[in-house]
Every structure is written in structure tokens, then in C-alpha cells.
Amino acid sequence: VAVALALAAVWGGLPRSVWAEADGFLTKEGVRLFPIGFYELPEDEAALEAMADAGVNLVHCHSRADLDRVQAEGMQGVFPLALQQGATDALREQVAAVADHPALAVWEGPDEVVWNFTAYSGLYRTHGVHKTKGAWWAQAPEAVAYAEEKAAEIIPNMRAAAALVRELDALGRPLWINEAQKSDVYYVRQYLDFVDITGCDIYPVNETDRSVERVADALTRWHQVGRGRPVYMVLQGFSWHALGDYYGHKKPAYPSFAESRFMAYDVIARGARGILYWGSRYLDHEPFRRSLYALTSELAALHPFLVAPDAPGVTIEIVEMPRETPPQVQVACRQAGEDWLVILVNEDEVSHMGVVIEGLGALEGRMMHQLYGPATAPVLGGEFVARLQPRDVQVFATARSWESPNRDGRDFGAEPAE
């Protein structure tokens, strides 16, 4: 490692294996944790404590003082850096000031960096760069030329800046860059070799559309874009109307608890290695915040399962009348000690009344309990059967002790909040 550190400044970065573990999880006092994060860092200490009590373990920080605050609450920090400006003296000072802080867990590069010089709507609306709306998607000459010009400046700057961060960070925290769900793969892959964690943001709920199943397609795309790197998903922690008139949404529309829960478990079942929530700093609706904290509390109670590998050989069979399209039901099965967890997510708009979870011979004769629900099912012949409603999530465990005691907010519904 020492030799590699010495070489970092020479050839622009180290192999990812030197700098970051391959799975993207956090480590605290030797314990592996699934990242449950918020971009918001509350100024009020009671609000920060409430966030920590709800199982949030990763918070955006911008200074050493911020890191001190989150450390006092038992959380860790993700630290954003303006890598697009290059290996500047200001960056060196910023990194050096916090690199030894024990609460620092993840560096973050510029948010949606590729999106902002390709498809960002402001390039047409406010900056006058694109001549027509949708110029990037039509590959208009001015949009292509602008992207090439900006990429030729930004990506080399990011490479040099990332190498500087590696040089200064003796503990080798991973570097993460979040993108828009449709950010251009050509440009993203130009910076991919010096990034450890990738991912995207997606906020599907508004007053006219609640297509929460879209998170699955976004995650699948970023698994492809990232060439196997861990994926962090940034999910919806706000209502679009709170962002002002720019996006055209006038009426409050918050994800219900069920919708937030669906999005979280859907991306977990599909392999996400962390979840963060954006937009909560715009919240003035406490019932929705409580619903998010009920969900983060639920996820935090399951850390040993969320960082465990998928159990081999577990599959599902959907027993029903033939359909024109194959059913989209996701399953994830994990073991932690003597206990087991099975996550089922129905991405379809129809019920599936015969979902058979197979390959559970190790659990023969044990009872599976639906967490936060009434169902129980014995494992017989290496399988058990569940019934899923449309857009349904059911989580089964071998013990109800994996439930969080925080139930406040679980009844938050989809009705617009005036």
C-alpha cells in the first residue's frame, strides 16, 4: 500500500481495491452497516438526535465541526468535494482539514456532474446554451459540442482532484458520485475508473404520477453503467411543490409510507448498497418526516441482513394462470447468525396469490413471520407460500424480534397534504 500511495501522484490514482472495499457498506467499530443517509444536516441538536435515533447513519457534512456533531450522535459523514474544479490549493486545504476525522466515511464528487453539462433542463431554460428544449436528446449540434467542450475540461480536473484526495486520505475512504437516473453513459464511464461507488437519484411521486416501480429500472441501469461498482440510490425525501415553480408542480404530494417502503425494499432486493434521502431540508410537513423515520428505523433494525450476501439457491415460483407478461416479483434472502430474512417485492399492478419461496431446506420446520404484518408461514418441503397485493412488500423473518419499536408514521397515506 505504501508503494501504491507513492505512485498515486504520478499516474493519477490507485486501483479501487487499494482504496475501498468492494461492497460500499460502512464500518463502525468493526461492525458492518448498510448506509442509510440524508443530505440534510439539521442545525437543531434535537432534530439531529431524532435523525440518529431513527437509524440514520450517514449525513452530509461540509466542515470538521459538522463531522464532530454527527460523531457525537453516533453517525458518520459523507463529505462533498468540488472535484470538477481540479486539484486546487483550496481542495488540498479542505481535504487535509478533515481527512483524519474518525466520523468521515465517504467522499462525494460533484452531484449529477454529467447531467449538468448534457441534458440539464436549465441549459435551455435559464442559461441559453441549448437552442431548443430537448436539444441533448435530439443530439443537436450545439448540445453535442457543448458537452464535448465541458467534458474535456471537467473530467481531467476530476481525475487530478481524485488523485489528490487519494494522496491526502491515508485511510482510503471510498469516492462516490451520484448522477441523474438517465445521465449519459459515455461520459460517466470516462470518470468511472477513479470512482468507487456510483448510483443515481430518482423522485417519482408528484401530484399526477406515483410510478414508484421506476426505481427498479433506474437501479438496473446503474448496475450496468457502473460495471459492477456498488450502487447508492438517492430516494425521495420531499414533495415537488416545495421546490418552487421551476419544475411546474403546484400541489403537495408526498410518498406514502407504503410507497417509500416499496422504493427502499425494491432497490435493496435488486442489490443497492446504500440508500440516501434528498430534499428533506425543504420539509415543513412533519407527518411525512415521521413516516421516513419509521422506515429508516425499520431498515436499521435489519443491518445484519442488509450487509449479508444473498443466500444461494433461493428462488421463487409464481403459481397462477398464464399471463402475457412474466410476473415481476423480486426476492432477497439473507442469513444473520441463526436467523433468516426473506424480502418479497411485487413490482406489478396485479396481485400474485401463489408466490412460492423455494430453496429453504436449511429452515425446514421453522416458522416465518411477516414483520409488521399478521402472516405466518411454516417452511415445509424447503418452501413457504406468500400472497402479494399490487406494489406490495412483505418481509419475513424467523423471529419478530427484528421489528423496530418505532411505529409512529407507518400509517402515513398518499393523500395530498395541504
Side-chain angles (χ1 to χ4, degrees), residues 277-288:
Y277 287 93
W278 185 88
S280 61
R281 68 187 181 92
Y282 297 100
L283 279 179
D284 58 4
H285 189 63
E286 284 305 307
F288 175 62

Side-chain angles (χ1 to χ4, degrees), residues 299-316:
L299 296 177
L302 300 176
H303 274 304
F305 296 110
L306 300 185
V307 300
D310 288 317
V314 177
T315 59
I316 56 173

